[in-house]
Amino acid sequence: PEATYSAFSKAQRLGIIIIVCLIGLASPFASVTYTPAIPTIARDVGVTVSQINLTVTTYLVAQAIAPTIWASIGDIHGRRPLYIATLAVFIGSCVGMSVTDSYAALMVLRAMQAAGSAPNVALGSGVIGDVVHVSRRGGFMGFYMGLGGMGTAFGPILGGLFAEYTGWHGIFVFLTAFFALCWIGYALLVPETLRGIVGDGRVPPPWYGRPPVKLLTPPAAPNAEELRAALPPKKKVDLLGPVKMLKEVDVVCCLLFAGLHFVTWQVSMVAIATILADRYGLSELDIGLAFISNGAGSFVASLVMGKVMNRDYKVQLCKEAAAKAERGEEAPQEVEMIERARIRSLIAPTAGLNASVIAFGWTLQYRVHLAAPIIFHFFIGGLNMALLSTTSTLMVDLFITRASSVTASINLVRCCFAAVGTAVVQPMIDAMDVGWTFTTLSFICMLSCPLMLAEYVYGHRWRRKR
């Protein structure tokens, strides 16, 4: 099945995924380059840190809503036109952020940034589902998440550098230039990949799906029109499709689990900038450097989990083949209980993440040597990415024809949760200090763990009922 799944060559697949990954950096870059500069922005704009944190909340709310609308369109009408349109919106908002000093404008432009960048994360997952077979999808999803982790690692450094040496406006001048180049590269090189339009890649898409440079485009099949006729009929766009997916029990289990743990990561990223400035007296550049550990953890874990997921897939396939052989049945070509293949390695990362969150909070509260919270922040970033990449890959596996929509569902839940967390973290720290704040968040996360156990045991039954 892998050999016939996609007509794109290995080099073409890799080229497409690299460009998609670079565009996928828009969302983490826009988020984390901003956080080290929060104290400076608050001072320059003349508002409090809590008010600037509301711009982060606004970003997260828009980040949750925008993919819900765009992803459904991308699953029906194609990835390419949406990439071109949404990235243009993002670039325009960066231009505005580079010149404004108005708090009201900050709120609006941050929402536009999220609306232009967040859909690309869902579209990227869809592209990987389009061109990569399920047996290797975990590795490519890990690679995709890994480059996002690099954005998380180096974004705060860039934010700190620009905030200290050029002013915080320089952050958005850089984002404008970098992603304008990405936009040009995508528009020139990347073809449409949606399987409902191009099949395995050999059916020529409409004119808007064809790039001027054919380097990453496979040759059309001689019987392209026959293949086009065999494609499933195009469905109507359902803008509420990602929301409707939340009625599925297995989706709810995965998204509540991943969303609650994502909150701990988001809150740690927002809170640490102010805590390191107030309690450790660090400059914007030093704060940016402190974020390296979290991003490095994200990058390392995503690559490791990609390999782990590919291994787990093979292990589960062997188990199912052995079980069928005992019953005298033909060996399966693909894993039937994909839930078990993906979830089997989540116990250790889940336990480690919650322990790291608690330790992170208490080391900051007692002002332990700076190395301690930075080390725990490394594990928070890495282990959260392990959970996120695994659940994201599982959701794409379960809804391969609606990969962008289900990724938008993931984004919707985790960003709504994170928006609430960002809004309440400072009042929580003011009321109960840092240690008990992160202990409380960890306890809430642990309450969601039985949901993944239920998905492991019963998920294949729930899927078959669909």
Side-chain angles (χ1 to χ4, degrees), residues 14 29 71 112 136 147 153 195 226 245 251 286 313 354:
L14 186 59
F29 263 11
M112 287 182 62
R136 301 188 63 202
L147 283 185
R195 297 182 71 83
E226 294 179 15
M245 286 183 177
V251 173
D286 290 335
Y313 184 92
N354 285 291

Side-chain angles (χ1 to χ4, degrees), residues 275-455:
I275 292 171
L276 293 182
D278 293 345
R279 303 193 182 199
Y280 289 84
L282 300 189
S283 66
E284 288 90 347
L285 176 58
D286 290 335
I287 292 171
L289 293 173
F291 279 88
I292 294 177
S293 66
N294 188 280
S298 298
F299 179 63
V300 171
S302 59
L303 296 182
V304 171
M305 285 306 295
K307 295 184 179 296
V308 169
M309 282 189 283
N310 284 348
R311 182 209 66 186
D312 287 348
Y313 184 92
K314 294 176 182 178
V315 170
Q316 182 64 27
L317 185 60
C318 290
K319 283 186 175 182
E320 293 181 5
K324 285 185 176 290
E326 289 181 2
R327 298 194 297 267
E329 300 176 7
E330 184 179 352
Q333 296 294 315
E334 296 181 357
V335 166
E336 295 178 356
M337 296 185 182
I338 190 65
E339 298 84 358
R340 298 189 178 184
R342 299 305 188 203
I343 298 172
R344 59 185 292 126
S345 297
L346 281 185
I347 296 175
T350 303
L353 175 57
N354 285 291
S356 298
V357 168
I358 294 171
F360 174 75
W362 289 106
T363 53
L364 286 174
Q365 177 163 324
Y366 287 108
R367 302 188 187 190
V368 178
H369 190 281
L370 186 59
I374 285 178
I375 289 172
F376 288 120
H377 213 213
F378 171 88
F379 287 110
I380 291 173
L383 297 173
N384 172 71
M385 181 58 69
L387 269 57
L388 181 60
S389 61
T390 302
T391 51
S392 297
T393 303
L394 175 58
M395 290 292 95
V396 172
D397 293 336
L398 296 179
F399 297 90
I400 186 61
T401 61
R402 293 181 286 169
S404 291
S405 293
V406 76
T407 305
S409 297
I410 299 170
N411 186 78
L412 174 65
V413 171
R414 67 179 181 142
C415 289
C416 285
F417 285 3
V420 174
T422 302
V424 303
V425 62
Q426 195 60 48
M428 286 179 69
I429 291 174
D430 293 341
M432 61 178 72
D433 216 337
V434 184
W436 282 113
T437 294
F438 283 95
T439 300
T440 301
L441 291 171
S442 179
F443 178 74
I444 294 171
C445 288
M446 286 187 278
L447 293 177
S448 70
C449 293
L451 296 174
M452 289 308 282
L453 177 61
E455 172 66 4

Side-chain angles (χ1 to χ4, degrees), residues 238-254:
D238 184 1
L239 296 180
L240 296 179
V243 178
K244 292 179 180 178
M245 286 183 177
L246 300 180
K247 69 181 181 181
E248 304 292 347
V249 179
D250 50 353
V251 173
V252 171
C253 287
C254 292

